[in-house]
Every structure is written in C-alpha cells, then in structure tokens.
Amino acid sequence: MPREAVLSDLLTVSFGALSFPEIDPVAVQLGPLAIHWYGLGYVVGILLGWWYARRLVGNERLWAGGKPPMTVADLDDFVLWAAVGIVAGGRIGYILFYDLPRYLANPLDILAVWQGGMSFHGGLLGVTLAMILFAIRRGINPWSLFDTIAIVAPIGIGLVRVANFINAELWGRVTDVPWAFVFPNGGPEPRHPSQLYEAALEGLVLFAVLRLLTHRALRLTTPGFVAGAFICGYGLSRIFAEFFREPDAHIGYLAGGWLTMGMILSTPMVLIGVWAMLRATRKAAPAKAG
C-alpha cells in the first residue's frame, strides 16, 4: 500500500472520520469523450424536471378554474431555453461572483465547464431571464411559468449537490462529528459533508415542501406563491448550510469569521421570496371575495 494511503488511513482512524468513497468523477468514458457525474447531474435534472413539469401541467385539478396556463408543447419548447439559461447564467455568475481575476487572466478557462465552477445564483438569474422572454413570446403569465419551473428545480439542485460530493469539491468545515469525511483534496482533517446537507435541504426537503403546496394547498391557483416559497426556501437552506461549508479559499470569510459570499447572495432571495408570497396572497384575496 502506498505510503500516502497508509497515512490517510491512520489520520482517518485517529480523527474518527469516515473514509471517502472511491467514486470516479467520470461516470462513462467513451474513447476521448469523458462524461462526468457533474454534467450528468445537470442533464438528468433538466430531463426529470421537464417530465415532472409536464405531469403538473396535465393535472387540471391543480390550476385555477381547471385551466393550466400553458400547454405540454410549451414546456417541450422551453427545455432548450432553460438549459441555455441555467448553464450560461451559472457560468457567468460564478465568474462574476466568485473568481473574476482568474478568468480575466485565463479567458479560455471560461469554456471549461466540465472542470466545475457554476453558481446557483447566476443560473437562477439566467433561467429567470429565459422564462420572462419565453412567457412574453408565448403569451403565458410569467408568474405561472415561474411556479412551474420552481417546483421542479429542487430535483436538479439535489442531483448536482450529490455530484459535488462525488467530485470531492465544495466540502465542509473541519469538524469532529462521527459522520465527517476526510476528503482527498481537503487536507487530513475530517470535514462536514456539506454537499450532502445541501442535497437534502435544497433538494429533497424543498421538493417535499413544494409538493405539499401544489397538491395539498393547491397554491398553483395563486400565481407566484410557489415560486416565492422556492426562492425563500432555497435562500434559508443555503444560508443554514453555509455555516457548515468551507468558503472558497480565494474568497474566505467576508466578516466575523462566519459570513460568506453564499450568505450574502442568498439573503436577498429570502426577502424576494417573502415579497412574492405576500404579493400572490394579496392578488388572490379580491378574487375570493368577489
């Protein structure tokens, strides 16, 4: 056994941490073409989201007056718009928010998406712009399109967070909890598996909450409420997870040894989400009174 492997095992035992699973970041190798789990997370997330959105639109019970505000064909056409908005927005957002000097010095690295470097907040802005333009073009209420896409977004978010774990990136802060991992490129100390925390909160839990809002509370009848719940819920989940996640080394903590860029970018989301839910509720009140 190599000396480095023995040292890693000794550190793992001494710190009481879990061994990081040996999962190849490359899911499939087809000659020179390497398909990474990270890329698969985006592709599968978009496809599953598209499938689930089609089911929602096909369920007339969920919509005001039993009339979905868009057709299945509209969603089929929007898939490409969504993919471009997510990837372009996510990449541009990461460059602007997290590592602008590096990409100014190495412009060709901007195209190396397979190396990672995507911002959720940038992807959100990108897909929001795509939704606004598409809704205007098709004559769809933008708030209803926001709701539909918000419902399916946690699927992709959860899958990409799991891919972050497989890639051994975006790991958490040093800890002594029994479920900590020693990440291959995270030093010898055991760390929080913050990627899995985010996968659970931003993916599974948020999806379950939105499912209750759509199928039990029938909140799709008040356009904008579900989208607001998603934005607010993601912001709160991300802020909480940031307390366990190691900040990017080139940025570090912005203040007080705890404030991170993720917290700053997520705080406006909570406020916007609350505003959207209040707005939707006020809009629905006159209709019910009448």
Side-chain angles (χ1 to χ4, degrees):
M1 180 180 292
R3 179 180 177 183
E4 292 81 3
V6 173
L7 178 60
S8 176
D9 288 344
L10 288 173
L11 288 169
T12 298
V13 172
S14 63
F15 280 110
L18 300 173
S19 298
F20 187 80
E22 295 184 6
I23 304 176
D24 192 337
V26 177
V28 180
Q29 184 80 44
L30 301 173
L33 177 62
I35 302 176
H36 292 72
W37 289 107
Y38 188 76
L40 276 180
Y42 277 94
V43 173
V44 174
I46 290 172
L47 292 178
L48 286 178
W50 167 57
W51 169 80
Y52 186 47
R54 292 174 102 250
R55 290 181 61 87
L56 293 169
V57 169
N59 190 343
E60 296 179 350
R61 180 183 72 88
L62 303 179
W63 305 92
K67 296 179 180 179
M70 67 201 78
T71 66
V72 169
D74 289 326
L75 289 175
D76 294 345
D77 293 339
F78 181 67
V79 171
L80 181 59
W81 290 61
V84 172
I86 292 169
V87 175
R91 190 61 170 171
I92 293 171
Y94 181 82
I95 293 168
L96 294 178
F97 300 150
Y98 291 95
D99 212 357
L100 182 58
R102 171 198 164 187
Y103 289 101
L104 289 177
N106 304 280
L108 291 180
D109 286 354
I110 294 174
L111 303 177
V113 180
W114 58 88
Q115 296 178 359
M118 296 285 283
S119 162
F120 169 82
H121 301 91
L124 177 63
L125 292 174
V127 78
T128 298
L129 177 60
M131 285 189 285
I132 292 172
L133 295 176
F134 186 84
I136 292 173
R137 183 171 181 177
R138 292 296 177 92
I140 299 170
N141 181 347
W143 287 104
S144 291
L145 185 56
F146 293 165
D147 287 342
T148 305
I149 302 306
I151 299 164
V152 306
I155 299 173
I157 294 172
L159 290 174
V160 171
R161 291 306 183 199
V162 172
N164 290 146
F165 178 77
I166 293 173
N167 284 353
E169 60 188 2
L170 305 182
W171 19 258
R173 306 182 191 187
V174 174
T175 182
D176 59 358
V177 298
W179 57 86
F181 285 88
V182 175
F183 289 92
N185 54 354
E189 302 90 355
R191 296 178 177 274
H192 283 288
S194 56
Q195 315 96 321
L196 300 182
Y197 300 170
E198 292 189 72
L201 289 173
E202 302 163 9
L204 185 61
V205 173
L206 192 51
F207 178 84
V209 170
L210 297 180
R211 173 79 180 188
L212 289 174
L213 289 177
T214 57
H215 287 69
R216 293 290 181 89
L218 300 179
R219 279 297 188 170
L220 286 174
T221 58
T222 54
F225 189 93
V226 174
F230 165 72
I231 294 294
C232 181
Y234 177 89
L236 291 173
S237 298
R238 179 65 180 270
I239 291 170
F240 176 79
E242 286 286 318
F243 284 102
F244 303 94
R245 177 173 164 175
E246 185 79 11
D248 291 329
H250 60 283
I251 297 178
Y253 296 107
L254 301 181
W258 60 271
L259 183 65
T260 67
M261 178 63 76
M263 292 178 181
I264 289 178
L265 295 175
S266 298
T267 299
M269 295 182 64
V270 177
L271 301 176
I272 292 171
V274 171
W275 168 80
M277 287 187 285
L278 292 175
R279 173 201 165 276
T281 303
R282 286 196 301 265
K283 288 277 187 180
K288 290 182 179 180

